Amino acid sequence: MTTENTGVRKTAGDDTAAAGKPPSVRPRALAWQRRRASAARFWRTYRTHRAGVFGLAVLALFALPALAAPLLTGSDAADVTDAPGAPLESPSAEFPFGTDRFGRNLLALVIRGARVSLLVGLLAAVLSVAIGTLIGVTAGHFRGWYATVMMRITDWFLVMPTLVLAIALATVMSRSLLTVVVAIGVTTWPTTARLVRAQTLAVETRPYIERARALGGGHWHVMTRHVLPNVMPLVLAQTTLIISSAILAEATLAFLGLGDPTVVSWGGLLQDAREAGAVSAGHWGYLVPPGIAIAVVALAFTLCGRTVESVLNPRLGVSR
């Protein structure tokens, strides 16, 4: 009897090992393993798109000098009291982009301005997408009068000029980077809200949502465990697309004199060039570098966003 029982136990152990499902694997570890595999698949598909890889390389080309700006330009690059050159010098070996109206090195200012422009663009895009996702998911889940009210508010924001609303907010609030972030974030969320609501309505019709509700899942459980993970790919693609718009909006507000005057940004450099009469004086080194930087970075984020959209939704058929 002992020998037979031992043999049975060995056979059961062999069957368990052959099944390839060790009992020690935890659900959380399995979830992280699946996420890593999904991220690897995403990157393998992403790098086959030449436009997306080009956009990523351009962003790295701007982001790395921006992160290392204090080391590359020094801590006093923006100081107007101890400028290294004469005002409005032409480009030279010492000053590749020339100098501004205070005699500061324009190349150093463009590098430092990248930190502010990229930071404001990222924060404003995150705020915009967070508001849009919250309204879109809740409006798609609860429906009824709540969805009607939220969608009418969204429609109102959609028909109003975004730049006009941002200028109005930036005018009545104090002039700071936080004001610019809030002004851009609270005026650019309606598109995300409508897209997320449409995706939420599609997800809510799937059978596993009905099973979750039948098993006692509440509103919070359904929205956070089932709906939100399914709309996150759309949210990620929308974030990368909104960043470019946010950078352009920040540059516009700074150019109009509504930004923080104590920090250096690309839009602020364009405003300084306008006030210094760089166009009439023919000092193009004052205007061209920050303007090209804004256009190139906005284009790079757009390329990355379109590629992310194509990878997450292959039916779009974006060219490689």
Side-chain angles (χ1 to χ4, degrees):
M1 292 294 292
T2 305
T3 304
E4 292 177 357
N5 292 337
T6 304
V8 171
R9 283 195 296 270
K10 287 183 179 180
T11 302
D14 294 340
D15 293 341
T16 304
K21 297 180 180 179
S24 59
V25 177
R26 296 181 179 179
R28 183 172 297 180
L30 183 60
W32 278 108
Q33 183 180 359
R34 290 176 177 174
R35 291 185 185 126
R36 287 192 296 267
S38 178
R41 288 194 302 271
F42 172 84
W43 172 244
R44 283 196 301 268
T45 308
Y46 184 96
R47 66 186 182 185
T48 62
H49 294 73
R50 292 189 297 270
V53 174
F54 174 76
L56 203 59
V58 171
L59 292 180
L61 186 63
F62 278 89
L64 292 178
L67 293 174
L71 300 176
L72 296 175
T73 64
S75 59
D76 57 347
D79 190 1
V80 297
T81 61
D82 191 19
L88 298 178
E89 283 191 27
S90 299
S92 61
E94 184 179 3
F95 306 113
F97 293 165
T99 61
D100 68 348
R101 57 176 176 166
F102 303 110
R104 297 177 295 179
N105 187 355
L106 275 174
L107 177 59
L109 294 178
V110 170
I111 294 175
R112 292 183 69 90
R115 294 168 63 90
V116 175
S117 296
L118 292 176
L119 178 63
V120 171
L122 288 171
L123 293 179
V126 169
L127 177 60
S128 173
V129 170
I131 297 173
T133 302
L134 176 63
I135 292 178
V137 170
T138 55
H141 177 79
F142 290 109
R143 307 181 189 181
W145 66 267
Y146 174 80
T148 302
V149 172
M150 289 295 101
M151 288 301 100
R152 296 298 76 78
I153 295 175
T154 302
D155 292 339
W156 183 83
F157 273 94
L158 279 174
V159 299
M160 290 294 293
T162 301
L163 182 59
V164 174
L165 291 177
I167 291 174
L169 287 175
T171 302
V172 300
M173 299 174 68
S174 61
R175 295 176 63 183
S176 64
L177 290 182
L178 179 61
T179 297
V180 175
V181 171
V182 172
I184 297 173
V186 300
T187 56
T188 56
W189 57 265
T191 302
T192 303
R194 294 194 70 88
L195 291 174
V196 171
R197 180 176 180 267
Q199 184 70 11
T200 300
L201 292 174
V203 172
E204 293 266 348
T205 60
R206 296 175 183 174
Y208 61 83
I209 298 293
E210 297 182 4
R211 289 197 296 267
R213 289 171 175 165
L215 293 173
H219 297 297
W220 178 256
H221 175 83
V222 171
M223 287 189 294
T224 58
R225 296 297 183 90
H226 299 287
V227 176
L228 190 59
N230 282 279
V231 302
M232 282 306 296
L234 176 64
V235 171
L236 176 61
Q238 189 67 11
T239 302
T240 55
L241 292 173
I242 290 180
I243 291 175
S244 60
S245 301
I247 291 176
L248 292 173
E250 185 277 330
T252 303
L253 293 177
F255 180 76
L256 295 175
L258 299 176
D260 189 347
T262 63
V263 298
V264 178
S265 67
W266 290 336
L269 290 177
L270 293 177
Q271 183 206 20
D272 290 341
R274 178 180 60 83
E275 292 181 351
V279 176
S280 58
H283 193 65
W284 297 106
Y286 208 158
L287 288 167
V288 173
I292 290 181
I294 293 171
V296 171
V297 170
L299 175 62
F301 272 113
T302 301
L303 291 175
C304 291
R306 293 301 181 189
T307 303
V308 170
E309 232 178 359
S310 176
V311 172
L312 298 177
N313 187 6
R315 290 176 297 177
L316 293 176
V318 177
S319 61
R320 300 184 179 181

